[in-house]
Amino acid sequence: SDLMNNCLIDGSLKNGLTVSGDFYSFNNNTIKNCPNYPLYIRSNDALYSMGSNNTYVANNKNMIYVNNSSVDLDDHVTLKRMSVPYYFPNGYDLYGAFKYTIEPGVTMLIGSAQDMNIDEETTFIADGTIDAPIIIRGLEDEPGYWNGIQYGSQKAASVMNYVNVSGGGYNDDWYNRFNLMIENDSRLTITNCVISNSQYYGIELNSPSVMERITHSNVVFLNNQAGNVYFDYGGEYNGVTYEGGQVIPQLP
């Protein structure tokens, strides 16, 4: 484990600090004036063990680079709010029967044509606030930059509250054409979220029966180019019959 507190890294040839292990303690540090990233993270242990009270300023790419593309959880973890965004150039997949918590105010930037997958066993807690929403989007803030979130958690405690998801829908393949895909058997409470600027659909549902396990309120859709809510397969929910391929303006 690495211990680094109350230190200054000022200028470098490339990244400020590259970390492959984990942090015993990483607090009250300043990394500045680096031509690349202030932090280049090569391990999940480092990602979840660093303190949130560090300063990153005047770096050319002022974000935390996360090299790993997945985490197989062996404990509950929290992605802490930092003063800069996290950048996941290779996407990020969550596996394992533990809680993955994202703090209010976190910004996650996803690489081009990459996605975020949430496994059926993982409890996903993205509980933002009105003043500190959680932002999940592509590195470039434009429609179709990344694939979107493929959501499969079957855990009833999973929540997305004050989460803004934008810029998905990389292409019109069934697994790329959304900001958020909610799979069959998933469970989720989704409230106060903004789903925007998909190149195709805002939210894609495998079938109307998914809604039997979804609680939702105040989900706002903006500028999703092919429509807001898309059904892969038809069926009945709450006395209404929907067709496969049907697009509706709001979650039913």
Side-chain angles (χ1 to χ4, degrees):
S1 297
D2 298 316
L3 186 152
M4 182 176 172
N5 297 317
N6 307 305
C7 295
L8 169 65
I9 297 175
D10 188 354
S12 69
L13 185 63
K14 193 176 180 182
N15 301 308
L17 184 66
T18 298
V19 185
S20 298
D22 65 348
F23 290 113
Y24 175 76
S25 182
F26 186 80
N27 292 287
N28 299 311
N29 301 296
T30 296
I31 304 177
K32 65 180 183 177
N33 297 320
C34 299
N36 211 6
Y37 302 95
L39 275 178
Y40 189 106
I41 302 295
R42 292 186 177 273
S43 79
N44 288 308
D45 288 338
L47 180 62
Y48 305 118
S49 61
M50 59 186 173
S52 57
N53 53 346
N54 301 286
T55 301
Y56 311 101
V57 292
N59 302 290
N60 188 45
K61 300 177 180 178
N62 206 34
M63 60 192 77
I64 297 168
Y65 185 107
V66 183
N67 187 64
N68 294 47
S69 62
S70 67
V71 55
D72 194 351
L73 299 169
D74 57 9
D75 201 351
H76 305 308
V77 300
T78 297
L79 189 65
K80 302 181 187 74
R81 180 181 183 175
M82 300 293 175
S83 59
V84 297
Y86 295 92
Y87 174 39
F88 297 83
N90 307 305
Y92 212 54
D93 298 341
L94 312 179
Y95 301 99
F98 292 92
K99 289 182 181 179
Y100 187 93
T101 300
I102 304 175
E103 286 189 343
V106 164
T107 294
M108 302 177 71
L109 306 178
I110 312 297
S112 176
Q114 303 299 318
D115 47 39
M116 184 174 178
N117 289 285
I118 301 165
D119 183 62
E120 62 184 25
E121 293 186 326
T122 302
T123 302
F124 184 66
I125 308 293
D127 193 5
T129 68
I130 190 169
D131 296 319
I134 294 163
I135 297 170
I136 306 175
R137 64 169 178 84
L139 175 64
E140 301 295 334
D141 193 10
E142 60 187 38
Y145 187 84
W146 65 299
N147 292 342
I149 300 172
Q150 189 135 354
Y151 179 91
S153 173
Q154 297 181 12
K155 300 300 182 180
S158 291
V159 61
M160 292 176 66
N161 180 45
Y162 287 106
V163 181
N164 299 340
V165 185
S166 65
Y170 179 74
N171 61 33
D172 63 356
D173 290 341
W174 69 269
Y175 48 84
N176 292 340
R177 61 192 179 192
F178 45 78
N179 279 346
L180 175 64
M181 152 69 88
I182 304 178
E183 300 175 358
N184 278 340
D185 302 320
S186 298
R187 288 173 167 81
L188 177 64
T189 297
I190 179 169
T191 53
N192 304 309
C193 292
V194 179
I195 310 296
S196 66
N197 294 320
S198 171
Q199 184 168 240
Y200 290 92
Y201 306 105
I203 292 179
E204 184 165 342
L205 304 173
N206 273 160
S207 70
S209 64
V210 174
M211 295 306 302
E212 297 170 4
R213 295 170 293 280
I214 303 298
T215 299
H216 68 91
S217 66
N218 193 33
V219 178
V220 176
F221 296 91
L222 298 171
N223 303 318
N224 300 298
Q225 294 180 12
N228 293 337
V229 179
Y230 175 90
F231 292 105
D232 281 331
Y233 299 99
E236 184 176 303
Y237 170 69
N238 202 24
V240 179
T241 299
Y242 300 93
E243 302 294 329
Q246 184 173 347
V247 180
I248 59 176
Q250 296 286 338
L251 288 170

